[in-house]
Amino acid sequence: QMRLVESGGGLVQPGGSLRLSCATSGTSLDYYAIGWFRQAPGKEREGVACISTDDGTTYYADSVKGRFAISRDNAKRAGYLQMDSLKPEDTAVYYCATDLFGTCAVLSTDQMNFWGQGTQVTVSS
């Protein structure tokens, strides 16, 4: 079993930045891809970014490409999502999730093994 806890959300003005963290405990993170998802009110949960287990391959949704950066630190058992140039449409609850032996070829909620409880990100002036 793995427990995931997100932090770093909050209220930020358009154009601002936030850095989300995903702290894990329990099973080692080494063999899990880390995915970040978000869900806005009335919308389905969507994949935002992913980083694989092996070579650190990353994937980004088109809507965040060039603005968000995903990273991981296996020694600290953590994942991160740096979000820059934030827009109001980025407002959502952000979740981290892990996928055993994941390659990030596909980022789908169905393939993830463990989930955090989410952290609210609000982009508003």
Side-chain angles (χ1 to χ4, degrees), residues 13-58:
Q13 291 186 343
S17 298
L18 283 174
R19 187 183 190 227
L20 304 184
S21 298
C22 176
T24 72
S25 60
T27 302
S28 172
L29 185 60
D30 292 5
Y31 303 109
Y32 287 81
I34 301 170
W36 285 93
F37 295 76
R38 67 186 181 186
Q39 187 166 20
K43 295 188 177 181
E44 291 188 356
R45 193 171 297 187
E46 63 172 350
V48 173
C50 181
I51 185 166
S52 68
T53 56
D54 45 10
D55 60 358
T57 299
T58 56

Side-chain angles (χ1 to χ4, degrees), residues 27 31-33 53 98-103 111-113:
T27 302
Y31 303 109
Y32 287 81
T53 56
T98 54
D99 175 19
L100 183 61
F101 302 128
T103 63
Q111 70 193 77
M112 309 311 284
N113 301 111

Side-chain angles (χ1 to χ4, degrees), residues 9-121:
L11 173 64
V12 63
Q13 291 186 343
S17 298
L18 283 174
R19 187 183 190 227
L20 304 184
S21 298
C22 176
T24 72
S25 60
T27 302
S28 172
L29 185 60
D30 292 5
Y31 303 109
Y32 287 81
I34 301 170
W36 285 93
F37 295 76
R38 67 186 181 186
Q39 187 166 20
K43 295 188 177 181
E44 291 188 356
R45 193 171 297 187
E46 63 172 350
V48 173
C50 181
I51 185 166
S52 68
T53 56
D54 45 10
D55 60 358
T57 299
T58 56
Y59 160 88
Y60 296 95
D62 288 342
S63 58
V64 306
K65 206 170 289 184
R67 300 188 298 121
F68 289 12
I70 189 171
S71 61
R72 63 188 295 156
D73 186 334
N74 286 351
K76 294 184 178 179
R77 306 182 72 169
Y80 307 96
L81 185 68
Q82 177 66 41
M83 305 187 296
D84 298 322
S85 302
L86 283 161
K87 304 175 181 179
E89 51 263 43
D90 294 319
T91 296
V93 177
Y94 282 71
Y95 301 88
C96 66
T98 54
D99 175 19
L100 183 61
F101 302 128
T103 63
C104 298
V106 176
L107 185 58
S108 167
T109 57
D110 293 341
Q111 70 193 77
M112 309 311 284
N113 301 111
F114 300 104
W115 290 86
Q117 83 291 345
T119 185
Q120 176 71 46
V121 171

